[in-house]
Amino acid sequence: MRKETEEFDLNICVFCGSSDGLRPVYRQAAHDLGLALAKKECGLVYGGASVGLMGGVADAVLNAGGKAIGVIPKKLVDKEVAHKYLSELHVVDTMHERKALMANLSDGFVAMPGGIGTLEETFEIWTWMQLGFHAKPLILLNVDGFFDGLLSFLDDMTAEKFLKPVHRQMVAVTSDPASIPDLVANAKTVYQDKWI
């Protein structure tokens, strides 16, 4: 069992909204996650923006003395949403390059509340894991039940035999931002050939 004060040499990628969402609980969860990452000396890898939950988690990491690495397409830098105070900012040409670099820089992935971009990133990483392209953990941070409907849909998809139970179980779920570093550090991803 890991001690509460143990620190990890991990970079954790966070997918989340460029909006704060409707309720303050989402921004609070982003703040709490950022603090948890900094406390355990886990680097943040994320989309590089200064706005919404993206900016919230980065600000919390940086304000606590942690490392925040952003990856952002030049088109979005030009719209002045790039965070100006990151530890590192990688500017790329396309969204495809952004996702590939974020994946390469990271030891695990967390999806927080967000919109279609967050879902797209999350499902692409999950697909890569299902196909055996990586064995890095993926965790849904289910803030105040935000992902309950999605989890129910995934259960329906499994029941209808479009998703194998072993692949459904690849994604961990927590509602506690502080638990994320330990979940990533202790994860064991089991690969099973999709087509068997």
Side-chain angles (χ1 to χ4, degrees):
M1 184 166 210
R2 294 185 181 273
K3 293 183 266 185
E4 180 65 26
T5 57
E6 187 162 355
E7 296 164 350
F8 308 127
D9 184 22
L10 298 171
N11 284 331
I12 298 177
C13 182
V14 177
F15 303 130
C16 59
S18 57
S19 166
D20 281 332
L22 178 65
R23 293 180 290 136
V25 67
Y26 303 131
R27 185 75 178 204
Q28 184 63 52
H31 178 266
D32 293 348
L33 176 57
L35 288 182
L37 296 179
K39 179 179 178 182
K40 296 285 186 154
E41 295 197 353
C42 295
L44 166 68
V45 176
Y46 84 115
S50 61
V51 295
L53 299 186
M54 295 171 72
V57 69
D59 288 342
V61 167
L62 293 168
N63 290 338
K67 177 178 71 172
I69 302 167
V71 183
I72 192 167
K74 186 175 187 316
K75 183 174 182 178
L76 297 183
V77 172
D78 294 342
K79 291 185 177 186
E80 300 184 337
V81 298
H83 202 297
K84 293 181 167 64
Y85 304 106
L86 298 176
S87 310
E88 297 175 27
L89 181 64
H90 300 269
V91 179
V92 296
D93 290 328
T94 69
M95 291 294 285
H96 296 292
E97 290 175 89
R98 180 195 218 179
K99 290 182 292 182
L101 182 54
M102 288 168 69
N104 288 336
L105 291 171
S106 302
D107 299 297
F109 306 91
V110 177
M112 288 192 62
I116 57 174
T118 299
L119 288 178
E120 187 268 338
E121 291 167 325
T122 302
F123 278 96
E124 184 164 22
I125 283 295
W126 189 2
T127 301
W128 294 354
M129 183 171 25
Q130 181 190 49
L131 296 174
F133 292 133
H134 74 83
K136 300 172 183 180
L138 171 61
I139 300 160
L140 296 183
L141 182 51
N142 192 20
V143 179
D144 205 28
F146 180 83
F147 287 118
D148 286 354
L150 175 62
L151 293 168
S152 177
F153 176 71
L154 292 170
D155 289 339
D156 291 345
M157 188 184 292
T158 305
E160 294 293 332
K161 301 205 180 294
F162 287 104
L163 179 63
K164 287 186 176 183
V166 67
H167 297 137
R168 169 68 179 85
Q169 293 163 7
M170 283 179 162
V171 178
V173 182
T174 183
S175 60
D176 179 13
S179 71
I180 295 292
D182 286 290
L183 287 171
V184 171
N186 294 314
K188 304 225 179 343
T189 302
V190 178
Y191 171 69
Q192 178 179 329
D193 194 315
K194 181 181 188 310
W195 311 116
I196 292 177

